[in-house]
Amino acid sequence: MPNTQCLTAAMLEVGMRHSARLSFSREQVQQYCSLSGDHNAIHSDPEATRLRFPGARDIVVPGGLIQISVTGIFGREFPGDGCLGLSFVPERFRQPVFPDDEIDVEIVVSKIRGPMVEVEITMKDAEANLISTAKSKLVAADDAYRNWWSQQG
């Protein structure tokens, strides 16, 4: 399938790394807030944002939007298609993220047990300042799924 991978647990190794870059538009923030019902003013009004975060230059990207975008990497890039996310445990966000900021995400395999894969996630801003960390448990695709996936094109 185009623009995806499909790695089984047997294809992964502890210590294996994957990097990705994320960025969010104001429109994506608005769509997320509309779908999730998160109508916190810091996600729509720069004045409200500056009250909570003095010196903020724009609205704040919701942490939930960042988290679901990281889990999207699991099902698209690493381990890829067929992966099932079981848990995502984030640490608090150390600094706000604003629309059009770039976030560098690094995913590191920390444990593999059968089809279960545990990963550690680090998110940093463009200046390499830590934004947040998280841990996730995933179930990688099995051989039957990978065989089906590889025949799709």
Side-chain angles (χ1 to χ4, degrees):
M1 297 186 128
N3 302 321
T4 63
Q5 339 191 57
C6 179
L7 302 175
T8 65
M11 298 168 82
L12 299 171
E13 296 176 6
V14 171
M16 190 177 255
R17 298 174 181 275
H18 179 80
S19 297
R21 180 165 283 164
L22 299 174
S23 182
F24 304 93
S25 68
R26 288 176 131 264
E27 292 77 21
Q28 288 172 310
V29 170
Q30 181 182 19
Q31 289 172 339
Y32 172 84
C33 289
S34 177
L35 288 170
S36 69
D38 183 350
H39 299 293
N40 189 325
I42 66 171
H43 304 313
S44 61
D45 186 330
E47 185 177 332
T49 304
R50 282 189 287 280
L51 290 171
R52 292 287 294 133
F53 302 99
R57 66 181 184 283
D58 203 348
I59 61 173
V60 173
V61 174
L65 176 56
I66 296 168
Q67 292 170 14
I68 64 168
S69 297
V70 170
T71 63
I73 295 168
F74 301 154
R76 180 180 65 248
E77 299 173 30
F78 187 78
D81 201 310
C83 170
L84 304 172
L86 298 179
S87 67
F88 187 95
V89 181
E91 179 189 60
R92 71 175 176 83
F93 281 80
R94 296 171 184 246
Q95 65 185 45
V97 174
F98 304 107
D100 300 321
D101 284 356
E102 291 187 336
I103 300 173
D104 290 318
V105 178
E106 183 171 66
I107 301 166
V108 180
V109 176
S110 58
K111 190 180 209 178
I112 303 170
R113 189 176 340 169
M116 298 284 296
V117 179
E118 293 183 27
V119 296
E120 295 182 6
I121 302 128
T122 304
M123 294 166 267
K124 294 183 178 180
D125 67 15
E127 289 80 40
N129 297 310
L130 184 64
I131 295 171
S132 188
T133 61
K135 295 183 181 196
S136 263
K137 291 183 182 180
L138 318 166
V139 177
D142 60 17
D143 290 334
Y145 189 91
R146 178 165 168 79
N147 289 337
W148 170 85
W149 177 86
S150 64
Q151 294 173 12
Q152 300 309 303

